Amino acid sequence: MNSHRLLKWLFAAGLLACAPVWASSAEPAKSASGTDAANKAAGTASLNPAAAFQTSNYKLRPTDLITVTVVEDPHATGDFKVDVDGTVSLTYLPDHPIKLVGLSTSDAARAIIKAYVEQGIFVKPSITVAVKAPAPRYVKFIGQVMKQGPIEIPPSKEMTLATALAEAGGPTSVAGRYVTITRIMDDGTTKTIPDVDLLAAVKQGKDVPLQEGDIITLGQSVLGDVWH
């Protein structure tokens, strides 16, 4: 009888001894599910069109909506729109707009830090800048197209000549084959690119990339210059 009770006691003790091992072996599964959730959340965030503008080569433009995060002061954190003159008026600095247009987000953060320190607002702040909503980008198609006017370039995408023509409803029945592209260069000068073969871009796989602000002019067909 005593030996029977001893066996029962040893069996129960063995179960208790194994319990922590079972509990610890369940932890990695829980961590894995948490990692999966984090990865899924990160994947969802990457679908945000503005995510494409969080790159070092993107330069801030007028009417961009940016998020300025000041780690030391949540009251200074918020969303701000870049004004048409390229400046931003920030919390605590309403009378000292900061020129941010043309800067990368990292350079913009440094400019904001410098302004806050120079004005005696913060001593050594930690500040980040992100583009929340990029300003709309446009090209314009005029002349012999069905819908003249500006064509918005979708966020995180590029516009080509063939795509712009499709957005403009296609050529009219009297459209020519060649277009002229008028482009504003970085230094403010205007460059004219004549005789761009629209038919080749659309039907021969020789598409032409466009830049923001391009004006594409499609004239009427003349002898030897026909769309079809």
Side-chain angles (χ1 to χ4, degrees):
M1 187 69 174
N2 290 336
S3 60
H4 181 67
R5 290 181 179 177
L6 178 60
L7 287 174
K8 290 177 65 177
W9 181 86
L10 288 174
F11 181 73
L15 289 177
L16 291 174
C18 291
V21 178
W22 294 339
S24 61
S25 66
E27 288 300 317
K30 181 178 180 181
S31 300
S33 64
T35 302
D36 291 343
N39 290 337
K40 184 177 181 180
T44 303
S46 68
L47 297 177
N48 183 351
F53 296 89
Q54 316 307 327
T55 59
S56 59
N57 61 349
Y58 179 76
K59 307 301 181 184
L60 295 178
R61 299 178 297 130
T63 73
D64 275 349
L65 182 64
I66 63 174
T67 298
V68 177
T69 302
V70 182
V71 175
E72 292 79 7
D73 188 347
H75 295 291
T77 295
D79 296 337
F80 304 87
K81 179 165 283 191
V82 181
D83 205 343
V84 291
D85 65 358
T87 64
V88 174
S89 296
L90 299 173
T91 306
Y92 307 135
L93 296 175
D95 300 325
H96 296 83
I98 306 170
K99 190 84 169 183
L100 297 183
V101 72
L103 299 182
S104 65
T105 53
S106 57
D107 286 339
R110 283 189 279 269
I112 293 171
I113 290 172
K114 180 181 178 182
Y116 272 134
V117 171
E118 288 179 348
Q119 295 300 318
I121 306 299
F122 298 111
V123 176
K124 195 176 180 181
S126 299
I127 295 175
T128 61
V129 175
V131 179
K132 184 173 184 178
R137 302 175 298 156
Y138 296 93
V139 298
K140 180 183 284 187
F141 223 129
I142 60 177
Q144 296 299 322
V145 289
M146 302 303 293
K147 297 184 293 184
Q148 295 190 51
I151 300 168
E152 184 173 353
I153 304 173
S156 74
K157 293 185 179 180
E158 299 302 325
M159 180 68 71
T160 67
L161 184 56
T163 303
L165 180 65
E167 291 291 331
T172 67
S173 59
V174 295
R177 174 173 177 171
Y178 299 94
V179 300
T180 297
I181 299 175
T182 304
R183 178 168 295 168
I184 299 176
M185 309 304 290
D186 291 338
D187 59 3
T189 59
T190 300
K191 178 181 180 181
T192 299
I193 309 172
D195 301 326
V196 180
D197 193 338
L198 184 59
L199 189 64
V202 174
K203 295 188 176 181
Q204 298 175 12
K206 300 177 181 179
D207 209 352
V208 178
L210 299 176
Q211 295 182 12
E212 176 190 1
D214 281 355
I215 300 175
I216 308 103
T217 304
L218 176 58
Q220 187 170 336
S221 63
V222 295
L223 186 63
D225 172 19
V226 293
W227 168 252
H228 298 291

